Amino acid sequence: NQILDILKKYGLEIIEPKNENFNPEFHEAISTKKCEKENCDKSDDNLIIEVYSKGYLLNGKLLRPAKVKVIIH
Protein backbone atom coordinates (compact mmCIF):
# COMPACT_ATOMS: atom_id res chain seq x y z
CA ASN A 1 0.00 0.00 0.00
CA GLN A 2 2.89 2.38 0.67
CA ILE A 3 4.23 1.93 -2.84
CA LEU A 4 0.76 2.51 -4.27
CA ASP A 5 0.41 5.71 -2.22
CA ILE A 6 3.76 6.97 -3.52
CA LEU A 7 2.81 6.16 -7.13
CA LYS A 8 -0.53 7.98 -6.69
CA LYS A 9 1.39 11.09 -5.57
CA TYR A 10 3.20 10.96 -8.92
CA GLY A 11 -0.01 10.72 -10.94
CA LEU A 12 -0.97 7.04 -11.00
CA GLU A 13 -4.69 6.35 -11.29
CA ILE A 14 -6.31 2.92 -11.04
CA ILE A 15 -9.06 2.03 -13.51
CA GLU A 16 -11.72 -0.13 -11.82
CA PRO A 17 -14.69 0.14 -14.20
CA LYS A 18 -17.23 -2.36 -12.82
CA ASN A 19 -20.83 -1.24 -13.59
CA GLU A 20 -19.57 1.45 -15.98
CA ASN A 21 -20.03 1.61 -19.76
CA PHE A 22 -17.33 0.04 -21.91
CA ASN A 23 -14.86 2.56 -23.34
CA PRO A 24 -12.32 1.09 -25.80
CA GLU A 25 -9.86 3.89 -24.94
CA PHE A 26 -9.50 2.56 -21.38
CA HIS A 27 -10.89 -0.99 -21.41
CA GLU A 28 -10.10 -4.24 -23.24
CA ALA A 29 -13.06 -6.60 -23.59
CA ILE A 30 -11.71 -10.11 -23.24
CA SER A 31 -15.11 -11.69 -22.65
CA THR A 32 -18.75 -10.96 -23.40
CA LYS A 33 -22.04 -12.17 -22.01
CA LYS A 34 -25.40 -12.12 -23.73
CA CYS A 35 -28.04 -10.19 -21.77
CA GLU A 36 -30.26 -12.76 -20.05
CA LYS A 37 -33.02 -10.51 -18.78
CA GLU A 38 -36.33 -10.79 -20.62
CA ASN A 39 -36.62 -7.05 -21.04
CA CYS A 40 -33.06 -6.09 -21.90
CA ASP A 41 -32.85 -2.46 -22.78
CA LYS A 42 -30.12 -0.41 -24.42
CA SER A 43 -28.87 0.85 -21.04
CA ASP A 44 -27.54 -2.65 -20.31
CA ASP A 45 -25.63 -2.83 -23.60
CA ASN A 46 -21.85 -2.44 -23.19
CA LEU A 47 -22.08 -2.51 -19.39
CA ILE A 48 -18.97 -3.89 -17.67
CA ILE A 49 -20.03 -6.70 -15.34
CA GLU A 50 -16.66 -8.13 -14.34
CA VAL A 51 -13.10 -6.82 -14.12
CA TYR A 52 -10.37 -9.43 -14.70
CA SER A 53 -7.48 -7.02 -14.16
CA LYS A 54 -7.34 -3.36 -13.23
CA GLY A 55 -6.08 -0.76 -15.64
CA TYR A 56 -3.68 2.07 -14.92
CA LEU A 57 -3.24 5.68 -16.03
CA LEU A 58 -0.15 7.77 -15.34
CA ASN A 59 -0.74 11.51 -15.55
CA GLY A 60 -3.74 10.89 -17.80
CA LYS A 61 -1.92 8.54 -20.19
CA LEU A 62 -2.91 4.90 -20.43
CA LEU A 63 -0.32 2.45 -19.10
CA ARG A 64 -2.51 -0.65 -19.20
CA PRO A 65 -6.20 -1.02 -20.11
CA ALA A 66 -8.54 -2.77 -17.69
CA LYS A 67 -9.44 -6.26 -18.91
CA VAL A 68 -13.20 -6.70 -18.60
CA LYS A 69 -16.34 -8.75 -19.36
CA VAL A 70 -19.11 -6.83 -21.14
CA ILE A 71 -22.86 -7.39 -21.61
CA ILE A 72 -24.05 -7.44 -25.24
CA HIS A 73 -27.44 -7.92 -26.86
Side-chain angles (χ1 to χ4, degrees):
N1 283 338
Q2 289 177 340
I3 292 174
L4 191 57
D5 289 339
I6 292 169
L7 291 172
K8 285 181 179 179
K9 286 181 185 177
Y10 287 98
L12 183 75
E13 296 175 59
I14 299 172
I15 303 171
E16 294 186 81
K18 189 168 183 178
N19 297 321
E20 295 179 7
N21 285 326
F22 178 76
N23 181 342
E25 293 180 20
F26 301 106
H27 312 131
E28 180 181 350
I30 60 172
S31 180
T32 59
K33 182 177 181 179
K34 191 106 167 138
C35 187
E36 294 174 352
K37 293 192 299 185
E38 285 185 27
N39 297 331
C40 278
D41 56 16
K42 289 290 182 185
S43 66
D44 291 332
D45 207 24
N46 292 322
L47 183 69
I48 296 171
I49 57 170
E50 190 172 344
V51 178
Y52 295 110
S53 67
K54 299 174 189 174
Y56 295 95
L57 296 170
L58 184 61
N59 297 319
K61 295 191 181 207
L62 185 66
L63 291 178
R64 182 176 85 179
K67 296 180 191 293
V68 299
K69 178 188 260 186
V70 181
I71 290 180
I72 60 172
H73 275 93

